[in-house]
Amino acid sequence: MKTLGFGVVLLAVGLGGCAMTYEAPDISNKPFSTVHLSSKQDILEQAEQALLLEGFQIQSSDLKSGYISTSLKNWRLTPEQASCGKTMGIDYLKDNRTKTEVAFNVVVNDQEVIIRSNIQGEYKPGAATQDITLTCVSRGVIEAEIAEKILF
């Protein structure tokens, strides 16, 4: 019986050690920017419409100052779209137990549209283990997709 108890303790320590191998993303979060040829007002109106059509709720906006911010929206991201780090060499975004949410900030001036994402990730392995909050960084793909919807 003592060996069974010792084995359970070793298993628990081993599994706990696996959780400690989290490798944060190896890329930095940079805003996406592109040039526009329309008026600032037209671009802001198009941006607001594009974000709403994509299911984002506008949290705040100031069309005079030139910005729009959205609330977080559930969005299942792929490793091609973002990095939330790895554990034991396996990308968290390849695991169905990883949840991601995305919000956008869009800033428009007379020449540029600047889009920055805010990604929150959480790994939810199940009832027996504790959820892990992940550091997630966009690869620029989702910002480019939103820019395309704004400008075209």
Side-chain angles (χ1 to χ4, degrees), residues 48 51-52 54-61 67-75 100-106 116-120 146:
E48 192 171 65
L51 290 165
L52 289 169
E54 288 301 308
F56 287 93
Q57 292 183 359
I58 306 300
Q59 184 176 22
S60 63
S61 66
Y67 78 87
I68 300 169
S69 294
T70 71
S71 299
L72 287 167
K73 170 190 165 189
N74 286 332
W75 187 348
T100 50
E101 296 177 306
V102 179
F104 286 107
N105 292 314
V106 178
R116 185 175 190 105
S117 64
N118 174 17
I119 303 171
Q120 293 185 2
I146 292 295

Side-chain angles (χ1 to χ4, degrees), residues 123-135:
Y123 179 65
K124 300 175 160 249
T129 56
Q130 189 173 11
D131 295 348
I132 301 170
T133 300
L134 303 172
T135 300

Side-chain angles (χ1 to χ4, degrees), residues 30-36 38-48 51 58 60-70 103-117 143 146-147 150-151:
K30 297 178 183 169
F32 174 89
S33 66
T34 187
V35 176
H36 69 82
S38 298
S39 73
K40 177 179 168 181
Q41 195 68 30
D42 286 347
I43 295 296
L44 283 163
E45 289 172 7
Q46 288 171 225
E48 192 171 65
L51 290 165
I58 306 300
S60 63
S61 66
D62 185 339
L63 300 183
K64 186 176 180 185
S65 296
Y67 78 87
I68 300 169
S69 294
T70 71
F104 286 107
N105 292 314
V106 178
V107 178
V108 179
N109 61 36
D110 291 331
Q111 295 88 29
E112 283 183 303
V113 177
I114 303 161
I115 303 170
R116 185 175 190 105
S117 64
E143 293 86 351
I146 292 295
I150 291 170
L151 297 173

